[in-house]
Amino acid sequence: MPAWTEFAACAVCAISGVLAANGKHMDLFGAIMLGLATALGGGTLRDLCLGVRPVFWVQAPDYFLISLVTAVATFFLARHFRIPGRALSVADAFGLALFGIIGTEKALLFDAPDSVAILLGIFTGVAGGMLRDVLRGEMPVVFRPDVEIYATAVFGGALVFILLRHWLPPSPAHRYLGMAVILILRLSAMRWRIRLPVFQGK
């Protein structure tokens, strides 16, 4: 997995975390903590599940630094420029796509079964956003019935990625196709309001 993909994932998730502080009356420290939690939370959970010590951002502090710099820059830019209302959702979708496949591929590198790799890909994609939402006092997006398909998009992209690895010769294109599937599914769901059925017991 090229390092730039995880750097990019950390950066876009840090952006979404800071933008989520809007309207919560948080100061600079609070907004940065949201950004860091979103950027590093999913990968931390993945590494803990895989038994990786130290976790990725402790082993390579550049991930922490790029998340921190991006969070600080987003905080000050958002104070002086109008950020479109959908920016948070779009940034979150890109982070979901990048981290979903990063998590799946890393799990496979540690010889996890395909099903476990997909699950860890989902964890990596959604856990940072869950932590962000809990810290700002809201129900995590992944559990809200009014939110379009979210974790399901990661499942679809991770499954495509694994099937391509089994059916075709090894190629870096597999990971990018998996990321594209996640992103397309998530953005399409946002555009056309595609949601999963809501549980209602009788």
Side-chain angles (χ1 to χ4, degrees), residues 18 20-31 34 75 79 136:
V18 173
N22 187 35
K24 296 297 182 179
H25 304 290
M26 290 186 178
D27 61 10
L28 174 62
F29 178 80
L34 276 188
F75 179 87
R79 287 166 58 88
R136 66 178 183 155

Side-chain angles (χ1 to χ4, degrees), residues 77-141:
L77 286 172
R79 287 166 58 88
H80 298 287
F81 299 95
R82 182 179 178 276
I83 305 296
R86 299 289 278 181
L88 171 58
S89 298
V90 173
D92 190 64
F94 275 92
L96 193 70
L98 291 167
F99 266 137
I101 299 302
I102 288 169
T104 304
E105 187 167 5
K106 187 165 185 178
L108 292 172
L109 289 175
F110 280 81
D111 298 321
D114 290 347
S115 57
V116 174
I118 292 174
L119 183 61
L120 288 178
I122 294 172
F123 283 174
T124 309
V126 307
M130 291 174 64
L131 185 56
R132 173 200 65 207
D133 294 338
V134 169
L135 290 174
R136 66 178 183 155
E138 295 188 1
M139 178 183 288
V141 168

